[in-house]
Amino acid sequence: MSRSRRSCSSSRRAYFPPLTADRVNAGVKSDNGFAKQIPVLLQAQVPIWLQRMLGVLLVGAVSVLYLLWQLAVWGFAKPRLSWIIPLRRR
């Protein structure tokens, strides 16, 4: 008889729904009241000074590449324009 009571009482346990991400911190309470949520980012953050330094470096690299491209275009176009603009001879 005691055996049947065990199985009967274990079948009367409360059902808890599955824990999802939106319910992880829901309803956390202590003696002082409900807990305060703190927003956090779940990845390593790059320091702001390093972000700015990399931004300046990127702008500088693009500027240098553009200048080299323009010099190359100007260097190849110069001989072709010699019939329009005569070159100064010494």
Side-chain angles (χ1 to χ4, degrees):
M1 190 168 190
S2 65
R3 214 170 181 197
S4 64
R5 284 187 177 179
R6 278 188 195 165
S7 63
C8 190
S9 64
S10 64
S11 65
R12 293 182 186 170
R13 290 183 182 163
Y15 170 75
F16 295 105
L19 184 64
T20 57
D22 61 333
R23 294 176 36 131
V24 169
N25 293 328
V28 177
K29 189 174 180 182
S30 70
D31 294 338
N32 297 329
F34 284 101
K36 179 181 176 185
Q37 291 186 359
I38 301 172
V40 294
L41 299 174
L42 300 177
Q43 63 183 16
Q45 296 297 304
V46 180
I48 192 72
W49 62 268
L50 184 59
Q51 290 178 3
R52 290 182 179 161
M53 185 184 299
L54 290 175
V56 169
L57 184 66
L58 179 66
V59 169
V62 168
S63 299
V64 168
L65 289 174
Y66 178 74
L67 178 65
L68 291 174
W69 176 259
Q70 289 298 318
L71 287 174
V73 168
W74 181 74
F76 286 120
K78 187 176 178 182
R80 294 183 188 145
L81 294 176
S82 62
W83 63 275
I84 298 172
I85 305 170
L87 296 175
R88 198 186 296 178
R89 294 187 185 198
R90 291 185 182 186

